[in-house]
Amino acid sequence: MLEFERLIDHHCHGVMPGTLSRAQLEAIISEGHRPVPGCTNFDKPVGMVLRRYCAPVLGLEPHASPEDYMARRTELGGEEASRRLLRASGLTGVLIDTGHRADDILDVPQMADYSGAYAREVVRIEAVMETAARTAGSGEQLLSAFEALLEERSADAIALKSIVAYRTTFDIDQSAPTRAEAAAAGDAWLKSNAASGWRRLEDATLIRHALYVALDICQQRRFPLQLHVGVGDRDVNMPKCDPTVFIPFVLQAEAKDVPLALLHCYPFIQESTWMAEVFSNVYYDIGFTLNFTGPEARKIMEQAMGMGPFFKHLYSSDAFGLAELFYLGRIQFQRTLGAVLSDWIAAGDCTLKDADRIVAMITHGNTERIYRL
Amino acid sequence: MLEFERLIDHHCHGVMPGTLSRAQLEAIISEGHRPVPGCTNFDKPVGMVLRRYCAPVLGLEPHASPEDYMARRTELGGEEASRRLLRASGLTGVLIDTGHRADDILDVPQMADYSGAYAREVVRIEAVMETAARTAGSGEQLLSAFEALLEERSADAIALKSIVAYRTTFDIDQSAPTRAEAAAAGDAWLKSNAASGWRRLEDATLIRHALYVALDICQQRRFPLQLHVGVGDRDVNMPKCDPTVFIPFVLQAEAKDVPLALLHCYPFIQESTWMAEVFSNVYYDIGFTLNFTGPEARKIMEQAMGMGPFFKHLYSSDAFGLAELFYLGRIQFQRTLGAVLSDWIAAGDCTLKDADRIVAMITHGNTERIYRL
Amino acid sequence: MLEFERLIDHHCHGVMPGTLSRAQLEAIISEGHRPVPGCTNFDKPVGMVLRRYCAPVLGLEPHASPEDYMARRTELGGEEASRRLLRASGLTGVLIDTGHRADDILDVPQMADYSGAYAREVVRIEAVMETAARTAGSGEQLLSAFEALLEERSADAIALKSIVAYRTTFDIDQSAPTRAEAAAAGDAWLKSNAASGWRRLEDATLIRHALYVALDICQQRRFPLQLHVGVGDRDVNMPKCDPTVFIPFVLQAEAKDVPLALLHCYPFIQESTWMAEVFSNVYYDIGFTLNFTGPEARKIMEQAMGMGPFFKHLYSSDAFGLAELFYLGRIQFQRTLGAVLSDWIAAGDCTLKDADRIVAMITHGNTERIYRL
């Protein structure tokens, strides 16, 4: 009854080309790096819903065994499997973060081709800074090169993104550094790279500089800044990835009317919905989380629908590498949001018309408004 | 079947007099300060249950549109609307915090008149300190004036309240300062007020002094100290508003047999129920949270019923400004607690007699016991 | 339909011998130290399920009053009551932490006799260090005595356990101290004990030393290290008992292939399941929590089944002192896991065969694998 036709995935990544081995596929459905001998990642919530929902898209019965699933996937070939799953996801648009392992995954036009959706790029500011560092001879050159490159990349982009929470946590000085401070930090990083080998950007001063440059571009172009929050790779310092720790920066962004989209949010979903309630510029999604909680995803959706304004909730899959994660993202989203709203209607808390309006906001309306699609 | 007849709202505020505009009403159902252009606070969980439940009290169909609701409310006039909603709340008693925007809201006798319930005052210690500061000439005078005024205000009050979590967070030295330290801090605040204009009380030393003076009064008068926890205005440093951070002070209060009532508790409800389990003097409510989570409030009640002793759970609406929030507080409380207990009975975990006893404790028994009503 | 026949309780304690008074029994179903006058611990979630489920094991109707329950328990005598409840728990094995109040509770062979299950010992490293300190004359002697004693105790044990979170929190330097640093810390502790009376082990340097000695033994013997997480006695500093704070140590253990079993995990269950997802050596249980959340335990199980791999979830009761807590642990576990999986099957997310495999993993398979039973 509820209408999920127009669905925009506002935060995702490209899929890997080629035909994946079972070990490769199992690695992508985990944020861990080391398999446990004798155990399989199909024995996880995400593995369970993958077998249920993705198997039929490839022409198998639901709950096909991992062996049968991999055999069928190989028979079809990776490209055909990805194309089927992406088409089945029925997406209107995909906003793609190109800043993580870009060489291993399909690019934006390829993703448009595979999915049949319009595809736009989200530029990761830390990746741009790292690109700029490859050729800069001094901290000052680094800043200039970063600014020019970010400006250039932003021209075609739909938004910027920061993974500051990964690199320094949110628990940093959140003011803008002076240009001299940033240049000095750049000098130090470049010198260390030259002396002891390349190290990814982890300097808080440089990242703060990047964040404030990004805020200005977002303000100018009137598009959002996405912020990684909570779960993700295992190198997070979780208590300091609580988005409430970043409120001083949020206030700076609010003063510039720049929307901030909090991504994933687990295990800080209650905190994130509260921030969406009190800050006019805070938006949130539960991408990644819906897929990785499998059959229990509904409880996550209930949290997401608990305190946040309906006009602040966004849809994303946070799929990376695997077309299955796009498809599951859609399925998990539609069935959990549908179940929550059906219960609201059944309890008399909500009319069907209201529920339809809420679905329209979360599936595409909010995204279209803040990304100015 | 379960009996909710005698219900005491142990933490709430006065309602605003006069007839509110839509902008005013929307502002009160948010803790944010800036509306989002093109969006309405009726599109939030609290807005949805407001339309469902409050509309019939004003003579409309459930789910009336925001436009129809505002038109009817204006037609009735603010006073009549407030009287109807407060009477419909069916409260036995209201314990009113008078320390926030006292000039904008009805006073305690007016609230008794509007609601038909007995009304008693809860005195906010930071507000008393700020009043004392208006005329004090020195830190020592400030302390004396504060102590005299708090003593005087306590004579008619039913409890004291602190918003230390807002002003300094819980992450402070939690011992009592010496009188000399407190006086010096008072000197510094008064001097700064004289030199650079009035600033609200945010000095940790003065607030610690106020807390220990309050503890002594509470011990003497055998009444509770309420503590703001977690959600509220946007200027909270959330991770440091976790009530477990305040355990050293809780132990001091326990040694004096002073009950502490943790207010709101979101997103620290699990932590709060655990504290109620391990500290003999810790009580908790989920006021504000039930209203603002709207149709999903039941999951909040489930958390509140998860680990806490039944003899530690209190009822509050935390309504401020708007009579609708009193009415919704009652509805949300009754339907969620009723649903949880009905399920317990259906599952065979609880007899009807036990459930009735639990309702009696939470609706009024615990409150009557610790407030000595 | 689902098979819970073979159930191993991987973390529990002995029961108290003798016939308990009501005050004694009420004290054991609380982590608090002070009763609230006029209130009873039977008016808590754990008290409610105790009356429902344990009463029939002693020959009473479900929901017997506390008075009737105590009268019947006394009539049977403590030993008979304990034997009935432990037998009714139907456990295959019990892994018993002997490091807490060992003189007050039954020992490992007695627990085997009472329960009919095989019983093995888990050695608490802080208790071993405290034993070593009773006779050591210097820090160096302390370290040698600790190492020898831990080696000796480990020969018959099935695992080691640390309560570092209680004693120092997880928020400490997590590297191994040098031997000289540890010996100096030992000297200081022994000197302070001699001068001002015995104090339990709370020195972070000594505990870090103990943890790294324990890791080596665990690696050698290929058995797990259990880690207390979150709830427990009231002297925890809760925000710093978040297991994500201990990730630097977790990485050291992962490098040595030592499984870490996170115990209780409330209120950090979401965090714990995420750690089980990203670290190959992290396991978790929700012992204690299921009992103390009574009728609402299912929501806890839902969290535990939300993101964690099925091959990382373990069963424990964390029962201490009271045979009722063993029985309730089993009941609460079986009914909540059964309910979650039945719903998965009903929703089509899971086949019966898959559900049976998940039950087998959590009830005994995972425990047998990592403890090498």
Side-chain angles (χ1 to χ4, degrees), chain C residues 68-128:
Chain C
D68 290 348
Y69 189 83
M70 291 310 305
R72 175 64 178 151
R73 206 182 192 284
T74 305
E75 182 187 32
L76 286 171
E79 179 173 336
E80 176 60 18
S82 291
R83 285 187 182 274
R84 285 196 189 187
L85 287 157
L86 280 168
R87 291 279 166 167
S89 306
L91 295 165
T92 314
V94 283
L95 311 189
I96 299 178
D97 169 5
T98 54
H100 180 55
R101 299 175 59 188
D103 297 341
D104 299 337
I105 54 177
L106 298 187
D107 64 16
V108 175
Q110 288 171 313
M111 286 300 295
D113 174 36
Y114 274 51
S115 66
Y118 68 82
R120 296 294 300 275
E121 186 181 18
V122 175
V123 173
R124 201 186 272 210
I125 63 174
E126 290 82 3
V128 172

Side-chain angles (χ1 to χ4, degrees), chain A residues 239 242 244-245 247 251 254-257 269-271 273-274 277-281 283 298 301-303 305-312 340 343-344 347-351 354-355 357-358 361 366 369, chain B residues 29-37 39-45 48-49 51-53 62-63 231-239 266-269 288-289 292-296 299-300 303 332 335:
Chain A
D242 179 336
T244 64
V245 176
I247 288 178
L251 290 167
E254 194 187 38
K256 291 176 192 276
D257 272 326
I269 295 171
Q270 293 195 319
E271 286 81 355
T273 59
W274 168 75
E277 151 63 21
V278 298
F279 299 105
S280 62
N281 62 326
Y283 292 77
R298 177 166 170 181
M301 180 59 82
E302 289 168 354
Q303 280 186 37
M305 294 295 285
M307 193 176 281
F310 310 132
F311 51 89
K312 295 298 200 71
V340 166
D343 270 13
W344 290 13
D349 281 345
C350 184
T351 65
D354 286 324
R357 231 160 37 82
I358 292 171
M361 286 188 237
N366 299 332
R369 186 177 76 250
Chain B
I29 57 168
S30 172
E31 297 288 317
H33 300 326
R34 304 188 350 160
V36 179
C39 301
T40 163
N41 278 329
F42 281 98
D43 279 337
K44 295 199 308 191
M48 176 149 287
V49 289
R51 283 172 50 219
R52 174 184 182 184
Y53 289 109
H63 308 292
V231 281
D233 207 352
R234 48 194 243 155
D235 59 349
V236 303
N237 181 329
M238 193 59 89
Y266 181 98
F268 304 111
I269 296 172
F288 175 88
T289 307
F292 275 73
T293 50
E296 289 299 318
K299 278 81 189 186
I300 299 296
Q303 279 186 36
Q332 293 283 86
R335 69 180 191 140

